[in-house]
Amino acid sequence: MSLASFAVQLLNGLASASSLFLVAAGLTLIFGVTRIVNFAHGSFFMLGAYVGWSAGHVLAAALPASPLSFWLAVLAAGIAVAALGAVIEVLILRRIYAAPELLQLTATFGVLLIAGDATLALWGAEDRLGPRVPGLSGTVPVLGYAVPSYELALIAIAVAVFALLTLLLRRTRFGVLVRAAAENREIAGALGIDQATLYTTVFALGSFLAGAAGALALPREPANLGMDLAVIADAFVVTVLGGLGSIPGAFIAALAIGVTKALCIAAGTIEVGGIALALPRLARVIEFIVMALVLLVRPTGLFGTQSTPAAQSISGHRRLEPPGRIAAWSALALAAGAALLPALAGSYAAVLATDILVAALFTASLQLLTGSGGMASFGHAAWFGIGAYAAAWMSLAGYPFALAVIAAPIAAAAVAAAFAGLSSRVSGIHFAMLTLALAQILWSGALDWEPVTGGSNGLIGVWPPPALADPRHYYALVLAICAIALVALVAVAFTPYGYALRASRDAPLRARACGIAVGRRRREAIWLSAAFAGLAGALYAFSKGGVGPDSLAIPRSVDALVMLLLGGLSAVFGPLAGAAALTWLQDTLARSTEYWHAATGIAILVLVLVFPDGIATLGNVARALRRSGARA
Amino acid sequence: MTAILELSGVTRRFGGVAALSGAGFAVGEGEVVALIGPNGAGKTTCFNVIDGTLRPDAGEVRFAGARITGLAPEVIAHRGIGRTFQVASTFGSMTVRESVAIAAAAHARRDGRFAAPPLATHSAPIDALLAAAGIAALADQVCATLAWGDAKRVELALVRAGSPRLLLLDEPAAGLEPDSRRTLMQQASALARNDGVAVLFTEHDMDVVFGFADRIVVLNRGAVIADGPPAAIRASAEVAEAYLGSAAPAAAKVDTPRASPSMDG
């Protein structure tokens, strides 16, 4: 490869980095002040692209041949998205600033689902090709290669925005307020800073950046419905890598990722010790690898100062009540009812009930990690997917069904034990991001490692033995396995280990001073939880007849979080309730409306706003009713 | 009296500030020692170094004859050092009974058992621990809802569940009304008198310090400026200066901690 072609790749990488920086700067600004990990930021980027596309068409008609039309469209997209962001902040987020972090995250994911379907309704499913930018549609010769001049403009814009943001934060009164609130919200509030206005303003500014970035991305990639999740994963990586809340950190991290990606693509396939490494393929996950490596060395990112106290903010010290006699009888009654279900309701009900049980087991495994352990995970699908792929691969390789089902949790736990050892210094939101990175790396591996994983088609033809071919029979087996596994998970929570894990979450210093090996208890929670998730993955693979990369993707991880929070982080029946509610809801909605994502999003928002403790804690419902009765 | 805890030359810096600089003192078995000094003298840093939360930059900590410098807090706890925190820390999501039970299980090294029967919360030893700490009536209360003084008593019960040979109490009496203050300190003294447990405590209330300590160690700017029985400390001009006068000359005058007016018990 020549130096010149490398330089061109580098410029291309810098242009991508610039786009990424604009999105990440907004995200990190919002996080710094409000402490909200905002999934909807991806939607703001996507909406910016679509609004920019529409506005561009309108303006091009109004101002024919004017170079201004594109830039005015970018501005319009930014302003429209900023307004939307402000409305969302006032209507939804403002009500949940005091809620546990994970709940806020779930709410923003609900917004993402709604925004995604709204975009589908307004602009349709097909990709919208962006305009050529008047005056910048040509190329500039660089070292004998033609470089699109728009890419150079994009780099200049990112540098200018970085400079402006730095000036804004360092030299203006607004900047002082933002930095004060980021440093310590309580004191900033006590000093008389109008927090409500500040938060809304910051949210609008961050959304403006995302919207404008979306419109600016149009000439390089068409507006499409997958943009939101794709960009939010990248933006999370940049903000975490740079240090949450740090604008210079986001700038440097975006550059580092852009350049590393360019290097991977430019290097092509290289040979190391006789093994051919296709580096361009690595470009898909290189950012996650970079983030994982940085977090292992600097657990709070390049410019990060402190880790957010994960334990308290996540659990909110909700008590896990030991199940009493009533709970035990209800569980028995539930199991008996579930056992009779196929006879009463037929095989479709059995398929749906299988899905619910698998989802409940997956969610219960997350409850051990996040509920009892206080460790949030944004990548729990990693363990589910490893289990699913391991079982599918064994089954296709000719091993018996039982062996495949047993191997799945072992495979997941083994990978998890290694991951737990590596990540032991990383905590809080950074740990959650590291799990996300792992899941994304595995997801990309599943796509690329075709001989073993089947690539994007996945592994198909994975069925249980003939005796279980009838969905009702397979359901009976899943019911037996899940019942045992769910009871085992509840039992673990009340063993000395379960209490020690919760003690480590509630007060880590106190726990250590009592002689509890907090670090070891947490590492055990990671692999124990992974084993159960892996088992769920195996049951899933055999119920669907195969497994694809989607079993490792972000939506699956988020589904587990949503089900957990719907059911209640610290409710014994929470995972089952949450899984039943979400799975049934999605199934019903998917059959009745094209916009079932949005319907799910609305349901999530309603539940989060009305039942912040989860639907399984019915005591809260009773209390809420009594309260509203008292008010009336 | 044999020393159970010995610190020598312990130094710990935070950035440019030395919270402890060459601090050294000892605590004997069954002895009640008060660690006092103005705000910022290094008392809590000293506790954190002893219990392993902080690693000292220099110096060593010996416990029961063995070097414990740099060991993890949970390892040091198992060696027999129990501590309370300035802001009493309990397991917020658990009942008092459950907290004491898990502390006792951890002491018996059963905290890693996940393929095991449920944690036994109702047993004679746990009832005895609750009764000894005077918190039997609080047994079923969730720790997050405890009043300040009750939380302190519960925390002491958590520490006692580990049968420590040395108790570190960080401002045990702060924020308590006089009655509870006396009860809590009497509990600690009784442990020292009857069971030979060594007690090292920090405290700002001089009535508590002079009422309960066998010996007093005075820290100023990270160094020990006096170490002796209460009467000698009361008479020390240097201590008075550190507390009342300008602290800088007092600290400057002392070359080594041991050179302070001969007050070694």
Side-chain angles (χ1 to χ4, degrees):
Chain A
M1 178 196 58
S2 72
L3 195 66
S5 79
F6 170 71
V8 170
Q9 278 300 339
L10 195 65
L11 279 177
N12 186 279
L14 288 179
S16 306
S18 304
S19 181
L20 199 50
F21 165 70
L22 295 178
V23 186
L27 188 67
T28 212
L29 200 63
I30 289 174
F31 179 86
V33 172
T34 65
R35 299 281 144 185
I36 280 190
V37 177
N38 183 20
F39 260 110
H41 205 69
S43 311
F44 294 161
F45 175 79
M46 179 174 74
L47 284 169
Y50 278 98
V51 173
W53 180 83
S54 292
H57 275 265
V58 172
L59 286 165
L63 310 163
S66 161
L68 265 182
S69 63
F70 175 76
W71 303 106
L72 284 176
V74 169
L75 201 63
I79 291 171
V81 172
L84 179 70
V87 168
I88 288 172
E89 196 274 342
V90 171
L91 286 184
I92 298 163
L93 298 179
R94 182 172 290 182
R95 294 165 201 281
I96 52 172
Y97 280 132
E101 274 168 17
L102 278 181
L103 208 71
Q104 302 171 341
L105 183 107
T106 311
T108 64
F109 191 73
V111 173
L112 176 131
L113 291 175
I114 297 168
D117 271 2
T119 312
L120 172 66
L122 288 171
W123 282 279
E126 62 189 283
D127 289 4
R128 298 294 176 179
L129 274 170
R132 288 173 157 277
V133 187
L136 290 172
S137 54
T139 58
V140 177
V142 174
L143 300 167
Y145 285 79
V147 174
S149 45
Y150 184 69
E151 306 223 319
L152 298 177
L154 207 50
I155 297 171
I157 290 171
V159 173
V161 168
F162 175 50
L164 282 174
L165 279 176
T166 309
L167 275 181
L168 182 71
L169 290 179
R170 296 278 146 201
R171 294 269 182 270
T172 65
R173 179 172 159 73
F174 174 74
V176 172
L177 296 183
V178 167
R179 283 185 293 139
E183 193 78 26
N184 192 322
R185 317 192 217 193
E186 282 75 27
I187 291 183
L191 289 175
I193 294 176
D194 178 1
Q195 298 208 33
T197 313
L198 180 67
Y199 282 23
T200 312
T201 316
V202 167
F203 212 85
L205 176 61
S207 310
F208 175 87
L209 287 171
L216 283 170
L218 268 179
R220 302 182 81 225
E221 62 171 325
N224 64 80
L225 290 170
M227 286 173 116
D228 49 356
L229 274 183
V231 83
I232 197 64
D234 289 354
F236 277 166
V237 169
V238 169
T239 49
V240 168
L241 185 57
L244 285 163
S246 164
I247 299 276
F251 189 72
I252 289 175
L255 280 184
I257 283 172
V259 171
T260 321
K261 268 196 172 177
L263 279 175
C264 274
I265 293 167
T269 303
I270 57 165
E271 263 191 41
V272 180
I275 302 165
L277 280 175
L279 287 182
R281 281 185 165 187
L282 255 189
R284 209 203 306 262
V285 280
I286 191 70
E287 67 220 62
F288 291 100
I289 296 173
V290 171
M291 174 174 85
L293 291 177
V294 168
L295 284 186
L296 295 179
V297 181
R298 282 191 61 91
T300 54
L302 294 174
F303 287 69
T305 43
Q306 86 245 353
S307 182
T308 45
Q312 292 87 335
S313 52
I314 285 169
S315 72
H317 285 312
R318 298 269 179 259
R319 174 171 164 69
L320 187 69
E321 286 286 345
R325 201 165 293 159
I326 298 174
W329 282 113
S330 330
L332 266 179
L334 209 59
L340 290 174
L341 181 88
L344 299 174
S347 67
Y348 182 76
V351 171
L352 181 62
T354 303
D355 286 352
I356 288 176
L357 285 169
V358 169
L361 179 55
F362 181 40
T363 308
S365 74
L366 182 63
Q367 188 181 41
L368 175 68
L369 186 72
T370 303
S372 290
M375 289 172 277
S377 167
F378 296 164
H380 208 56
W383 319 125
F384 184 87
I386 290 176
Y389 270 101
W393 185 84
M394 297 244 334
S395 172
L396 292 176
Y399 292 98
F401 170 75
L403 207 59
V405 171
I406 291 167
I410 296 174
V415 179
F419 172 76
L422 278 175
S423 64
S424 59
R425 285 175 61 220
V426 184
S427 62
I429 195 84
H430 298 95
F431 176 82
M433 291 297 178
L434 204 55
T435 59
L436 176 71
L438 177 80
Q440 285 301 98
I441 291 167
L442 290 171
W443 170 77
S444 160
L447 276 174
D448 289 340
W449 197 16
E450 219 164 316
V452 175
T453 61
S456 57
N457 294 325
L459 299 173
I460 48 171
V462 180
W463 294 108
L468 297 168
D470 185 322
R472 283 169 297 184
H473 296 164
Y474 186 66
Y475 163 73
L477 177 80
V478 170
L479 176 62
I481 294 177
C482 286
I484 293 169
L486 287 171
V487 168
L489 274 168
V490 172
V492 163
F494 296 99
T495 59
Y497 171 74
Y499 278 99
L501 189 61
R502 291 202 295 288
S504 306
R505 172 200 71 189
D506 287 354
L509 291 179
R510 176 71 264 158
R512 295 186 83 181
C514 281
I516 295 172
V518 168
R520 250 171 72 192
R521 298 294 85 87
R522 288 186 174 156
R523 292 197 288 281
E524 286 156 356
I526 293 172
W527 67 255
L528 263 175
S529 158
F532 284 96
L535 178 62
L539 298 175
Y540 166 85
F542 281 108
S543 77
K544 300 295 171 201
V547 54
D550 65 302
S551 67
L552 288 156
I554 294 177
R556 186 166 306 271
S557 295
V558 175
D559 269 0
L561 273 178
V562 169
M563 292 185 287
L564 179 60
L565 292 164
L566 284 185
L569 258 179
S570 294
V572 165
F573 283 108
L576 195 58
L582 190 74
T583 310
W584 174 79
L585 191 72
Q586 286 186 343
D587 181 77
T588 311
L589 292 173
R591 276 186 291 148
S592 52
T593 163
E594 189 188 346
Y595 300 114
W596 62 278
H597 287 114
T600 311
I602 291 169
I604 290 173
L605 282 183
V606 168
L607 288 169
V608 161
L609 292 176
V610 181
F611 307 115
D613 290 336
I615 48 177
T617 46
L618 281 173
N620 294 307
V621 183
R623 231 173 296 143
L625 286 175
R626 232 176 294 139
R627 245 188 324 217
S628 62
R631 236 182 266 140
Chain B
M1 190 186 302
T2 35
I4 187 156
L5 176 76
E6 291 167 278
L7 274 76
S8 47
V10 172
T11 299
R12 167 74 204 203
R13 293 184 197 86
F14 294 103
V17 184
L20 287 175
S21 52
F25 62 89
V27 179
E29 276 173 24
E31 197 181 16
V32 179
V33 177
L35 183 63
I36 66 168
N39 280 327
K43 303 181 296 283
T44 297
T45 305
C46 194
F47 271 27
N48 288 341
V49 165
I50 296 171
D51 97 325
T53 308
L54 290 175
R55 192 184 276 268
D57 297 316
E60 96 171 341
V61 184
R62 300 182 71 82
F63 178 70
R67 187 185 150 94
I68 57 165
T69 329
L71 294 179
E74 57 266 28
V75 176
I76 290 176
H78 281 296
R79 293 279 178 97
I81 297 182
R83 81 168 285 185
T84 65
F85 293 86
Q86 221 168 71
V87 176
S89 172
T90 56
F91 304 134
S93 72
M94 299 178 198
T95 63
V96 170
R97 179 183 288 284
E98 289 169 333
S99 315
V100 173
I102 187 56
H107 175 60
R109 297 183 184 277
R110 279 188 279 113
D111 58 310
R113 301 208 176 159
F114 50 78
L119 177 73
T121 49
H122 290 76
S123 72
I126 287 161
D127 286 337
L129 277 167
L130 291 169
I135 51 171
L138 303 173
D140 295 317
Q141 197 173 332
V142 176
C143 287
T145 65
L146 289 170
W148 174 263
D150 290 339
K152 290 208 154 207
R153 290 193 287 162
V154 168
E155 194 186 32
L156 189 58
L158 296 181
V159 176
R160 290 184 61 180
S163 317
R165 294 160 70 196
L166 167 67
L167 264 180
L168 306 174
L169 307 177
D170 203 348
E171 301 200 4
L176 299 182
E177 84 267 31
D179 267 358
S180 325
R181 206 173 272 209
R182 215 167 305 121
T183 329
L184 201 83
M185 288 312 295
Q186 275 163 358
Q187 244 190 72
S189 312
L191 279 170
R193 302 286 167 267
N194 307 334
D195 307 326
V197 174
V199 178
L200 178 66
F201 70 100
T202 68
E203 189 50 62
H204 282 294
D205 182 325
M206 288 304 138
D207 292 340
V208 173
V209 170
F210 284 95
F212 289 94
D214 299 330
R215 193 154 56 82
I216 298 174
V217 175
V218 188
L219 272 180
N220 192 28
R221 307 203 156 190
V224 175
I225 58 164
D227 180 344
I233 297 296
R234 207 189 286 276
S236 162
E238 214 163 345
V239 174
E241 214 176 325
Y243 266 94
L244 305 172
S246 61
K253 252 185 282 174
V254 184
D255 293 320
T256 62
R258 294 291 168 192
S260 55
S262 163
M263 289 186 296
D264 287 63

